Amino acid sequence: MNIDAALAELTIVLGQRLSLSKSDLDLHGRSETHFPLTPPDGVAYPETTKEVSQIVRICSAHRVPVIGWGTGSSLEGQAQAFSGGIIVDFSRMNKVLRIGQADMDCTVGPGVTREALNRELRATGLFFPVDPGANASIGGMTSTRASGTTAVRYGTMRDNVLGLEVVLADGTVIHTGTRARKSSAGYDLTALFVGAEGTLGLITEITLRLQGQPEAVTAAVCAFDDIDSAVRCVIDTIQLGIPMARIEFVDAATAAAFNSYAGSQLPECPHLMVEFHSSDTGVREQAESFGEIVADHGGKSFKWASKLEDRNALWTMRHNAHYACMASRPGCRSMVTDICVPISRLADAVNETRADLEAENVTGPILGHVGDGNFHAVLLFDENDADEVARVKRVAHRMVERALEMGGTVTGEHGIGVGKLDYMPAEHGAAWALMGRLKAAFDPKNIMNPGKLVPPRND
Amino acid sequence: MNIDAALAELTIVLGQRLSLSKSDLDLHGRSETHFPLTPPDGVAYPETTKEVSQIVRICSAHRVPVIGWGTGSSLEGQAQAFSGGIIVDFSRMNKVLRIGQADMDCTVGPGVTREALNRELRATGLFFPVDPGANASIGGMTSTRASGTTAVRYGTMRDNVLGLEVVLADGTVIHTGTRARKSSAGYDLTALFVGAEGTLGLITEITLRLQGQPEAVTAAVCAFDDIDSAVRCVIDTIQLGIPMARIEFVDAATAAAFNSYAGSQLPECPHLMVEFHSSDTGVREQAESFGEIVADHGGKSFKWASKLEDRNALWTMRHNAHYACMASRPGCRSMVTDICVPISRLADAVNETRADLEAENVTGPILGHVGDGNFHAVLLFDENDADEVARVKRVAHRMVERALEMGGTVTGEHGIGVGKLDYMPAEHGAAWALMGRLKAAFDPKNIMNPGKLVPPRND
């Protein structure tokens, strides 16, 4: 790689919008989790697809790595420049470009955040449902195949991206998908770029499916005696086809963390947090059916939140779970695991993880999007306590092994980046090599976010 | 290609299950539509994945084309051996291998038909919703990214395939996806093989998402004064978020064809045929809301079909539409077009097509899955009337052009095969070349269903 030549040419294209300041490089070298600081060689702030194409052409000519950056909220090191190169920060490509009211779709720049998008949509009667908690960028969410609390009802980014504009590794600009709701016209390139973590190209526009704002919304939280009862309640709810908009699990430790962080007064036992979206009658009927299932499993302390501010308080508390857990042990660091299993194995997966945490004496509140079979443990540790670090790593490793044994996946929504690269052979077998061939066909010089997701190359 | 050597080796592996009889070759050389008879060099009937792998290895060694065959119901020549080679007929790999009651999923061989699958599922309370009309095989439906009448509610094959077993072009067997409901672990290879029309590998097992049989089902048919009113009724229904299980449009010509073919007594005007799946209350509420929208658009002659036999009669009539249209002009042939547009453009697309049919004096009943913006015209012609053939081709061509101008796709569900290959550059631009590179990376010898879907190769 000839970084100096690349930086010189990039400056001609971008002027002040190529940043080399130490503070900016450091800001784009950090992650939300436990990866070390890895400042890139430069940070580019393009404003148009054409500029992104020029950046990639220059980097290709000089074999310089190119890594996309949304808001930096990814959890497995996806946006870090571990082998140097240029971070392409999409924060200036943050416009909602088109809202199709009649077609219930929109096209946005990659730098638009999900909260900004929903603010723009508010007056239209539409909303974008995917909600990973963090106020991530749509480009980043697309690249990580993000999901979150509402996937049980509205699907993940896989289900909500209709089409893309992508700059390929040689600077070519392509468009995938159409504005039609479905197509059988060739390979599903849209699905291929969703979740590719920027290793196949840089996404410069995203066309999204939108939903009508529901006529009625209500939410509730209810308590259970044990994990089993809560999880079995989820399974019954899914099987009965009640169209939950959200169904979230938190364990006793998470409830305790909420109480001290958010001032809630939850009993310190497992809880489900749910939300219904429908007509007035529909919400009532769904809530009644759910209430019966809860009662069957000994659920209690049912608290309804029909008012917007109560619901906001509930979901803000849920979204801040990571911070609440961190605050429960001041000065600690965290490893946030993310596995997803078939729903029939969910109770086993949570119980065995709980038992393992106790056996290893690790603090790890468990919570998750249980309607999808997806859950996290927030494993807390003192980074100076080598023994505790080792125990945390063992627990995390066994969670992943357990997910695979149960027919599940090593990551439901956080992605691979570098953090879970070592598990790819176990999950995919021979298909991982195929992913490598696919990457090589799209990016022969290996400049698009190299070192992530696919088998390492030796060139 | 060294076909004799390949046939000799295949006979050793398959014995009598390699068929070279003229009748069998002819049977596997035909299609449901207007493509000429193209008998392959042999038809293989494997019973195991291992045998499929052996077949592909032998064909690879001798550079012999390999084409998968389900039930032969594809409409764009996808399963025909235009350059010779071996047809792999999956009819003996027709077992439902696993039903996951609790996880609402199942794993099947590619030769299982959708009707056979639903018969096996009947006692479980689950069903597989995707319904393209024809009793196609699940392998074929996966490879064509099929959809049909229920996609508006349950999605297409893209949304309902959780994972695959695939034999690659060198005989390697891979597994894609997991039994978890979602994953962020690497490239979405499942989505890549869905709709690839056998050009990237042969699918030997499919894991499908299933749905709970709805508590209550009701269907209805209602008449409209004109196309516009019917289509605007669909748009309003979708925008109000009424979760229709089916919403199908037929025009006056199709209604007339139904009357003579199926003995129905529909007024000869445009109709919508709808179905609701929900609880008793839900169905009632949805039907009421829909009824109000219908009334707003001057709809009338509402006929409800709450009994199973009445619903079956209704949907059998719909599924036989192609035959009904053909029968309306004895001795004719048909070209069945398939375009999909953004729903906001649906009324324009249907009206302009209707006007074009009249201007060209072509008989072409219009019908379709309008909830997705997808519709077909069954263009009837006398194959000995060169002028009529030319007029039909012009109408079909302009339908495709119109779909692209409106931001839609050249095929919503029938696929590309060879029939729509010429439109791929117009729909995909530079992305079509990328599909070719992808194909070359997966199938360097170009033996997997060559000549279909991707840019032709000159080797």
Coordinates of all heavy atoms in Angstrom, one line a residue, chain A residues 381-418:
Chain A
F381 N -16.3 -7.5 33.7 CA -15.0 -7.9 34.3 C -14.1 -6.7 34.6 O -14.3 -5.6 34.0 CB -14.3 -8.9 33.3 CG -14.0 -8.3 32.0 CD1 -12.8 -7.8 31.7 CD2 -15.0 -8.4 31.0 CE1 -12.5 -7.3 30.4 CE2 -14.8 -7.9 29.7 CZ -13.5 -7.3 29.4
D382 N -13.2 -7.0 35.5 CA -12.1 -6.1 35.8 C -10.9 -6.4 34.9 O -10.4 -7.5 35.0 CB -11.7 -6.2 37.3 CG -10.5 -5.5 37.6 OD1 -9.9 -4.9 36.7 OD2 -10.2 -5.5 38.8
E383 N -10.6 -5.5 34.0 CA -9.6 -5.9 33.0 C -8.2 -6.2 33.6 O -7.4 -6.7 32.9 CB -9.5 -4.8 31.9 CG -9.0 -3.4 32.4 CD -9.2 -2.4 31.3 OE1 -8.9 -2.7 30.1 OE2 -9.5 -1.2 31.6
N384 N -8.0 -5.8 34.8 CA -6.7 -6.1 35.5 C -6.7 -7.4 36.2 O -5.7 -7.8 36.8 CB -6.4 -4.9 36.5 CG -6.2 -3.6 35.7 OD1 -5.6 -3.6 34.7 ND2 -6.9 -2.6 36.3
D385 N -7.9 -8.1 36.2 CA -8.0 -9.4 36.9 C -7.9 -10.5 35.8 O -8.9 -10.8 35.2 CB -9.3 -9.4 37.7 CG -9.5 -10.7 38.4 OD1 -8.8 -11.7 38.1 OD2 -10.4 -10.7 39.3
A386 N -6.7 -11.0 35.6 CA -6.5 -11.9 34.5 C -7.4 -13.2 34.7 O -7.9 -13.7 33.7 CB -5.0 -12.3 34.5
D387 N -7.5 -13.6 35.9 CA -8.3 -14.8 36.1 C -9.8 -14.5 35.7 O -10.4 -15.4 35.1 CB -8.2 -15.2 37.6 CG -9.0 -16.5 37.8 OD1 -8.6 -17.5 37.3 OD2 -10.0 -16.5 38.5
E388 N -10.3 -13.4 36.1 CA -11.7 -13.0 35.8 C -11.8 -12.9 34.2 O -12.8 -13.4 33.7 CB -12.2 -11.8 36.5 CG -13.7 -11.5 36.3 CD -14.2 -10.4 37.1 OE1 -13.6 -9.3 37.0 OE2 -15.1 -10.6 37.9
V389 N -10.9 -12.3 33.6 CA -10.9 -12.1 32.1 C -11.0 -13.5 31.5 O -11.8 -13.8 30.6 CB -9.7 -11.4 31.6 CG1 -9.6 -11.4 30.1 CG2 -9.7 -9.9 32.1
A390 N -10.2 -14.5 32.0 CA -10.2 -15.8 31.5 C -11.5 -16.5 31.7 O -12.0 -17.2 30.8 CB -9.1 -16.6 32.1
R391 N -12.1 -16.3 32.9 CA -13.4 -16.9 33.1 C -14.5 -16.3 32.2 O -15.3 -17.1 31.7 CB -13.8 -16.7 34.6 CG -13.0 -17.6 35.6 CD -13.4 -17.4 37.0 NE -12.7 -16.3 37.6 CZ -13.4 -15.3 38.2 NH1 -14.7 -15.3 38.4 NH2 -12.7 -14.3 38.7
V392 N -14.5 -15.0 32.0 CA -15.4 -14.4 31.1 C -15.3 -14.9 29.7 O -16.3 -15.2 29.0 CB -15.3 -12.8 31.1 CG1 -15.8 -12.2 29.9 CG2 -15.9 -12.2 32.4
K393 N -14.1 -15.1 29.3 CA -13.9 -15.6 27.9 C -14.4 -17.0 27.8 O -15.0 -17.4 26.7 CB -12.4 -15.5 27.5 CG -11.9 -14.1 27.2 CD -10.5 -14.1 26.6 CE -10.1 -12.7 26.2 NZ -8.6 -12.6 26.0
R394 N -14.2 -17.8 28.8 CA -14.7 -19.2 28.8 C -16.2 -19.2 28.7 O -16.8 -20.0 27.9 CB -14.2 -20.0 30.0 CG -12.8 -20.4 30.0 CD -12.5 -21.6 30.9 NE -12.8 -21.2 32.4 CZ -11.8 -20.7 33.2 NH1 -10.6 -20.5 32.7 NH2 -12.1 -20.5 34.4
V395 N -16.9 -18.4 29.5 CA -18.3 -18.3 29.5 C -18.8 -17.9 28.1 O -19.7 -18.5 27.5 CB -18.9 -17.3 30.5 CG1 -20.4 -17.1 30.3 CG2 -18.6 -17.8 31.9
A396 N -18.2 -16.9 27.5 CA -18.6 -16.4 26.2 C -18.4 -17.5 25.1 O -19.2 -17.7 24.3 CB -17.8 -15.1 25.8
H397 N -17.3 -18.2 25.2 CA -16.9 -19.2 24.3 C -18.0 -20.4 24.4 O -18.4 -20.9 23.3 CB -15.5 -19.8 24.6 CG -15.1 -20.9 23.7 ND1 -14.9 -20.8 22.4 CD2 -15.0 -22.2 24.0 CE1 -14.6 -22.0 21.9 NE2 -14.6 -22.9 22.8
R398 N -18.3 -20.7 25.6 CA -19.3 -21.8 25.7 C -20.7 -21.4 25.3 O -21.5 -22.3 24.8 CB -19.3 -22.4 27.2 CG -18.1 -23.3 27.4 CD -18.3 -24.1 28.7 NE -18.2 -23.2 29.8 CZ -17.1 -23.1 30.6 NH1 -16.0 -23.7 30.3 NH2 -17.2 -22.3 31.6
M399 N -21.0 -20.2 25.4 CA -22.3 -19.7 24.9 C -22.4 -19.9 23.4 O -23.4 -20.4 22.8 CB -22.6 -18.2 25.1 CG -23.1 -17.9 26.5 SD -23.4 -16.1 26.8 CE -24.8 -15.9 25.8
V400 N -21.3 -19.6 22.7 CA -21.3 -19.7 21.2 C -21.3 -21.2 20.9 O -22.1 -21.6 20.0 CB -20.0 -19.1 20.7 CG1 -19.8 -19.5 19.2 CG2 -20.1 -17.6 20.8
E401 N -20.5 -22.0 21.6 CA -20.5 -23.5 21.3 C -21.9 -24.1 21.5 O -22.4 -24.9 20.7 CB -19.6 -24.2 22.3 CG -18.2 -24.2 21.9 CD -17.3 -25.0 22.8 OE1 -17.7 -25.2 24.0 OE2 -16.3 -25.6 22.3
R402 N -22.6 -23.6 22.6 CA -24.0 -24.1 22.9 C -24.9 -23.7 21.7 O -25.8 -24.5 21.3 CB -24.4 -23.4 24.2 CG -25.5 -24.1 24.9 CD -25.7 -23.5 26.3 NE -24.5 -23.7 27.2 CZ -23.8 -22.8 27.8 NH1 -24.1 -21.5 27.7 NH2 -22.8 -23.2 28.6
A403 N -24.8 -22.5 21.2 CA -25.7 -22.0 20.1 C -25.5 -22.9 18.9 O -26.5 -23.4 18.3 CB -25.3 -20.6 19.7
L404 N -24.3 -23.3 18.6 CA -24.0 -24.1 17.4 C -24.6 -25.5 17.7 O -25.2 -26.1 16.8 CB -22.5 -24.2 17.1 CG -22.0 -22.8 16.6 CD1 -20.5 -23.0 16.4 CD2 -22.6 -22.5 15.2
E405 N -24.3 -26.1 18.9 CA -24.8 -27.4 19.2 C -26.4 -27.5 19.1 O -26.9 -28.5 18.7 CB -24.5 -27.8 20.6 CG -23.0 -28.3 20.7 CD -22.6 -28.3 22.2 OE1 -23.4 -28.2 23.1 OE2 -21.3 -28.3 22.4
M406 N -27.0 -26.4 19.4 CA -28.5 -26.3 19.4 C -29.0 -26.0 18.0 O -30.2 -25.7 17.8 CB -29.0 -25.3 20.4 CG -28.7 -25.8 21.8 SD -29.3 -24.6 23.0 CE -29.0 -25.5 24.6
G407 N -28.2 -25.9 17.0 CA -28.7 -25.6 15.6 C -28.8 -24.1 15.4 O -29.5 -23.7 14.4
G408 N -28.2 -23.3 16.2 CA -28.3 -21.8 16.1 C -27.1 -21.2 15.5 O -26.3 -21.9 14.8
T409 N -27.0 -19.9 15.7 CA -25.9 -19.1 15.0 C -25.1 -18.4 16.1 O -25.6 -18.1 17.2 CB -26.5 -18.1 14.1 OG1 -25.5 -17.3 13.5 CG2 -27.5 -17.2 14.7
V410 N -23.8 -18.1 15.8 CA -22.9 -17.5 16.7 C -23.2 -16.0 16.9 O -22.7 -15.4 17.8 CB -21.4 -17.7 16.3 CG1 -21.1 -19.2 16.1 CG2 -21.1 -16.9 15.0
T411 N -24.0 -15.4 16.0 CA -24.4 -14.1 16.2 C -25.8 -13.8 15.6 O -25.9 -14.0 14.4 CB -23.4 -13.0 15.7 OG1 -24.0 -11.7 15.7 CG2 -22.9 -13.4 14.3
G412 N -26.7 -13.4 16.4 CA -28.0 -13.1 15.8 C -28.1 -11.7 15.2 O -28.9 -11.5 14.2
E413 N -27.3 -10.8 15.7 CA -27.4 -9.4 15.2 C -26.2 -8.5 15.3 O -26.2 -7.5 14.7 CB -28.6 -8.7 15.9 CG -28.5 -8.7 17.4 CD -29.6 -8.0 18.1 OE1 -30.7 -7.8 17.5 OE2 -29.5 -7.7 19.3
H414 N -25.2 -8.9 16.1 CA -24.0 -8.0 16.2 C -23.0 -8.2 15.1 O -22.2 -7.3 14.9 CB -23.3 -8.3 17.6 CG -24.2 -7.9 18.8 ND1 -23.8 -8.2 20.0 CD2 -25.4 -7.3 18.9 CE1 -24.7 -7.8 20.9 NE2 -25.7 -7.2 20.2
G415 N -23.1 -9.3 14.4 CA -22.2 -9.5 13.3 C -20.8 -10.2 13.7 O -20.6 -10.6 14.8
I416 N -19.9 -10.3 12.7 CA -18.7 -11.0 12.9 C -17.5 -10.1 13.1 O -16.8 -10.3 14.1 CB -18.5 -11.9 11.6 CG1 -19.6 -12.9 11.4 CG2 -17.1 -12.6 11.7 CD1 -19.7 -13.9 12.6
G417 N -17.3 -9.1 12.2 CA -16.1 -8.2 12.3 C -14.9 -9.1 12.5 O -14.6 -10.0 11.7
V418 N -14.1 -8.7 13.5 CA -13.0 -9.6 13.9 C -13.3 -10.4 15.1 O -12.8 -11.5 15.4 CB -11.7 -8.8 14.2 CG1 -11.2 -8.2 12.8 CG2 -11.9 -7.7 15.2

